[in-house]
């Protein structure tokens, strides 16, 4: 069985494949808080990369407001909405 963190990354891969096939240009990822600190950093770096940002008009990332998660997104100047 895949861990929760592995499932988050698998969902990213599936959503990216759907985008490549359909041209939807929207990415929605939930439960990012299940990634460990190193994986969060790598994932945020990936989302901020030119290769990913050029493929999407909108990227929505959802998760619990953990300090480590917020710091990584703030460092890359992502627009964040807290609910």
């Amino acid at each position: 069985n895949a861990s929760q963190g592995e499932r988050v990354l698998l969902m990213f891969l599936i959503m990216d494949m759907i985008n490549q096939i359909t041209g939807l240009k929207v990415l929605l990822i939930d439960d990012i808080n299940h990634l460990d600190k190193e994986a969060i950093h790598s994932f945020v770096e990936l989302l901020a990369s030119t290769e990913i940002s050029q493929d999407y008009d909108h990227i929505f990332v959802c998760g619990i407001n953990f300090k480590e998660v917020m710091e990584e997104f703030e460092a890359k100047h992502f627009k964040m909405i807290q609910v």
Side-chain angles (χ1 to χ4, degrees):
N1 290 335
S3 70
Q4 286 294 102
E6 291 169 332
R7 289 179 187 175
V8 170
L9 299 176
L10 288 170
M11 283 307 301
F12 167 75
L13 292 174
I14 292 168
M15 291 294 296
D16 193 52
M17 286 188 287
I18 291 170
N19 177 60
Q20 297 299 319
I21 293 168
T22 65
L24 183 61
K25 300 182 92 46
V26 173
L27 176 63
L28 175 62
I29 299 293
D30 194 9
D31 292 331
I32 187 133
N33 48 284
H34 289 291
L35 299 175
D36 62 30
K37 187 173 183 171
E38 184 178 308
I40 290 169
H41 176 78
S42 297
F43 190 67
V44 172
E45 289 288 325
L46 176 67
L47 293 179
S49 72
T50 304
E51 294 84 9
I52 295 299
S53 62
Q54 287 179 344
D55 285 346
Y56 294 95
D57 291 334
H58 303 286
I59 298 174
F60 300 95
V61 179
C62 305
I64 296 173
N65 184 7
F66 287 143
K67 180 181 176 184
E68 296 86 16
V69 174
M70 300 303 289
E71 287 174 350
E72 290 293 337
F73 281 95
E74 288 171 355
K76 290 294 182 182
H77 306 288
F78 278 87
K79 180 179 179 182
M80 299 186 317
I81 300 170
Q82 296 183 28
V83 185

